[in-house]
Amino acid sequence: MRDEAVNRVRLVFTLFDADGNGVLESDDFDLMSGRVAAAVPGADEARKQAMQDGFRSYWHTLAGEADADGDGRITYDEYRACVLSPERFSGAIEEFAAGFARLGDLDGSGTVARPAFTGMLRGVGFELPNILALFEALGPDDADRIDVAAWEAEIRNFYAPDQGGIPADLLAPAPTT
């Protein structure tokens, strides 16, 4: 397992803990998906629903795979063990990545414009400089858009325990020591 993967997962756990209580619960995923939907007001209802379904699938997989004591709360250690185990979590990531990436394809062109991309990731809670660095790393075209398929693939890479030195690392810079 790469240090970069652990760093990415640590940050996402913190961001997904939408109520800040130190554990993940079902309500955190509802809050987060609501924030993301609100951050991309131009998205149609079908795209918003697919994104929200991806967040729900993410939660249900966590609850089923990682909530060892059945208390409806996922600790960081439970979360890390689950999401960095592709055999346990890849199906949820596939649905999440598809719904999240496609939310930003506002016109059905197969691309995501910078404002939609920025809104989506700000809705999650990522820092603006990191978001913009990732957008640039994904190679925007002359119309300042990135390919949805490339964005979706990078979301999957974000959760891959064997991936490091990837554009998604820009969202979670290494902690300073």
Side-chain angles (χ1 to χ4, degrees), residues 13-126:
F13 180 88
T14 302
L15 296 175
F16 278 10
D17 180 15
D19 63 9
N21 68 352
V23 294
L24 300 182
E25 301 163 300
S26 178
D27 288 349
D28 289 319
F29 288 81
D30 293 337
L31 285 168
M32 181 63 65
S33 66
R35 288 178 189 164
V36 171
V40 188
D44 63 38
E45 288 307 311
R47 291 185 198 286
K48 287 181 183 179
Q49 187 62 54
M51 179 270 304
Q52 290 169 325
D53 289 347
F55 270 95
R56 275 191 211 81
S57 176
Y58 194 117
W59 167 252
H60 289 298
T61 299
L62 276 178
E65 290 285 332
D67 188 10
D69 60 8
D71 67 353
R73 300 162 60 106
I74 307 296
T75 67
Y76 171 71
D77 289 337
E78 290 171 324
Y79 177 76
R80 177 182 162 180
C82 182
V83 301
L84 290 177
S85 298
E87 68 278 3
R88 297 172 72 188
F89 207 65
S90 64
I93 289 301
E94 290 296 322
E95 183 175 352
F96 176 76
F100 192 77
R102 295 173 190 163
L103 175 69
D105 182 9
L106 302 180
D107 61 3
S109 65
T111 62
V112 179
R114 186 182 300 260
F117 183 85
T118 302
M120 292 164 49
L121 291 174
R122 292 290 289 171
V124 172
F126 290 104

Side-chain angles (χ1 to χ4, degrees), residues 157-170:
N157 286 341
F158 189 95
Y159 289 93
D162 60 343
Q163 293 290 320
I166 59 173
D169 287 334
L170 295 166

